[in-house]
Amino acid sequence: MTGINLNLPLARRRAVPPSVLSMTHPNIELLERQRALLRKAVPAGFPSPADDYVERRLSLDEHLIRNKESTFFMRVSGHSMRGLGIFDGDLLIVDRSLPAAHGCVVVAVIDGEFTVKQLLHTSRGKVLRAAHPDYPEIVIKPEQDFTIWGVVQWNVHKV
Amino acid sequence: MQRAIALVDCNNFYVSCERLFQPGLEGRPVVVLSNNDGCVVSRSQEVKDLGVKMAVPWFRMRDLARQHNIVALSSNYSLYADISNRVMSLLSRFSPGQEVYSIDESFLELTGIAVDHTGYARQMRLTVMQHVGIPVCVGIASSKTLSKLANHVAKKNPRYAGVCDFNGMTEAELNGLLARIDVGEVWGVGRRSADRLRDRDIRSALDLKRAAAKHIRSGFSVVFERIVAELNGVSCLELDQVAPAKQQIICSRSFGTPTSRLADLEQAVIAYTTRAAEKLRQQRSLCGGIQAYIRTNPHREQDAQHQSSMLMPLPEPSDDTRLLCRAALHGLRSIYRTGHAYQKAGIMLTGIIPAAARPQTLFDDVPSREKSEALMRTLDRINRSMGSGTIRLLGEGTGKPWAMRRQNVSNRYTTEWDELAVCKAHP
């Protein structure tokens, strides 16, 4: 290994024909790699006392999304859900996999359009309730084109 | 134990994806068109019932569309890819052995899993429908070829309610079904081989199943012997559980409007190369060369025709967008001729090897390679988190006059913040 000058300028090293290089200095590439490694690995100063305590940073995705396959985002338009803290322009996190229980906020499809409402199972049948005094309840008629698209799990509101 | 392989196939997948976010399309005749709104690539049941075949050019069915109020949508592959990933990931819960066969099909190994395969398959359908809103059909049989046919039966015949298990049938029942399936429907039988089989009086899937191996061997490739064995329930094709890294990456498009300007072609080639390089890095590979090609519209015989391609080898295998673009542009400039209206341009990455197998050379410039790798990693990360194309080469341009014609494309509901579905909170 002796006799290899690693500090040779790049241009001069390159000028040597490959056949010559490989015969006389077979390990120059390996050395170059080791040198690159060393440059990185040289410890500078005292190790951080917090090293042992490094944990993953908190992830909102992990916190807000229980089922990644069935979770979708939607945008709210309108004010009828104000009473439940859902405002115009808010971001809904909707999970399709969950059962739509009494009292859930759901995304429903009525006559081909998405709407966000609170779902109630009553003796009159399914009722969609807005959270605003100006908007009446909608009692779902059996012949009505109606499906529950998903259950709203979270609402993201910009303050 | 009898082998059991399921093929799960999404029903008119692209249309189903569109309906998920545009529920108003439910029950209406809908088609999705190929790039540049050329041909029909997905049809809702209502459209199939009107007798519209796959791959019909859109201009040829305009009258029918007007007459029946057919909704035609441009293809929205960002949406389809995301929904497909969700479906495949859900299906993987049902078996440890999964082969994702295409954007809308997956094989699942069911041997030794569950007693009641039909019930298990119904559960798959319900789960995918509830969680992702995509209708699927399931075919189950003892070989992949048969499970494809079982799926075909499940789809065409409402009596099966979306699930057909050949394994649970008697030989006579099964043969009765196979007798009614055209030989051209059998997996691996192309249109021309189907014609040749019919010449030999092999018309149905049952005829092919009963064809003597000898009979088939003369004049047909060895592949056919395997198809015959598979039809007889002998599994010859194993599940490919890991998608092999692609050996070639091609990115090409037809232009919305033809162009004769070199600058337009350069922009297009840079955009395609950028996309291809991203894919290359995603599968952790390097490429050894890049080919650029351009062509005029061969269907416009009145125009001067020119088509050409050039392969540029790279000094060493690379995944650096900048280097690949330089090479592709060099190739493009040397094949470009003025005075032609170009309709299509493309690039192809060749000589693809795993990044881990990078040949080591004596003159490796390690520091600048590390710089390139870090830059590409950062680029990919930003484009992933902030939307594709957030950071790109300036040469790609901003106007894209050559871009695809997509007149009626829906929003990218699941991959772009600005394009989410809107939920009404008013009456």
Side-chain angles (χ1 to χ4, degrees), chain A residues 123-136:
Chain A
S123 53
R124 291 171 294 161
K126 289 195 175 99
V127 170
L128 290 179
R129 189 161 74 181
H132 192 290
D134 296 349
Y135 298 96

Side-chain angles (χ1 to χ4, degrees), chain B residues 2 54 60 76 122 140 189 211 223 230 248 320 367 381 408 422:
Chain B
Q2 189 175 25
M54 201 65 166
R60 216 170 276 165
N76 180 352
R122 294 207 190 294
I140 303 165
V189 177
V223 178
E230 284 244 320
Q248 285 178 345
D320 189 315
R381 207 169 46 232
N408 197 11
V422 172

Side-chain angles (χ1 to χ4, degrees), chain B residues 65-86:
Chain B
R66 247 193 305 273
Q67 201 182 330
H68 295 276
N69 272 324
I70 297 177
V71 180
L73 299 166
S74 309
S75 32
N76 180 352
Y77 286 106
S78 315
L79 175 65
Y80 311 151
D82 178 68
I83 301 295
S84 168
N85 287 335
R86 291 171 188 252

Side-chain angles (χ1 to χ4, degrees), chain A residues 14 29 33 68-75 77-80 91 96-97 109 112-116 135 149, chain B residues 20-21 23-24 86 89 93 129-133 360-361 363-365 417 420-427:
Chain A
R14 288 220 149 159
E29 208 229 339
R33 274 165 188 278
K68 64 177 170 42
E69 290 92 356
S70 55
T71 298
F72 296 87
F73 302 144
M74 286 190 165
R75 191 71 69 186
S77 154
H79 306 277
S80 73
L91 175 74
R96 287 182 55 95
S97 71
V109 177
E113 289 202 54
F114 290 122
T115 179
V116 53
Y135 298 96
W149 197 87
Chain B
L20 178 62
F21 289 98
R86 291 171 188 252
S89 162
R93 294 186 194 171
M129 189 62 203
Q130 158 121 43
H131 291 222
V132 202
Q360 304 197 343
T361 64
F363 306 109
D364 261 2
D365 183 356
W417 287 114
L420 299 181
V422 172
C423 210
K424 275 170 49 173
H426 45 79

Side-chain angles (χ1 to χ4, degrees), chain B residues 280-336:
Chain B
L280 187 68
R281 293 193 292 270
Q282 226 166 46
Q283 65 169 46
R284 289 172 212 287
S285 302
L286 307 170
C287 74
I290 180 166
Q291 184 176 42
Y293 70 90
I294 47 177
R295 73 159 166 75
T296 49
N297 184 350
H299 301 299
R300 286 184 57 88
E301 284 161 11
Q302 64 272 41
D303 291 354
Q305 297 289 320
H306 175 56
Q307 76 166 31
S308 185
S309 70
M310 176 170 280
L311 175 67
M312 301 295 304
L314 300 176
E316 58 179 9
S318 172
D319 61 3
D320 189 315
T321 304
R322 299 165 302 170
L323 176 65
L324 294 175
C325 282
R326 262 202 310 276
L329 285 178
H330 186 86
L332 170 69
R333 285 170 192 147
S334 44
I335 53 178
Y336 172 77

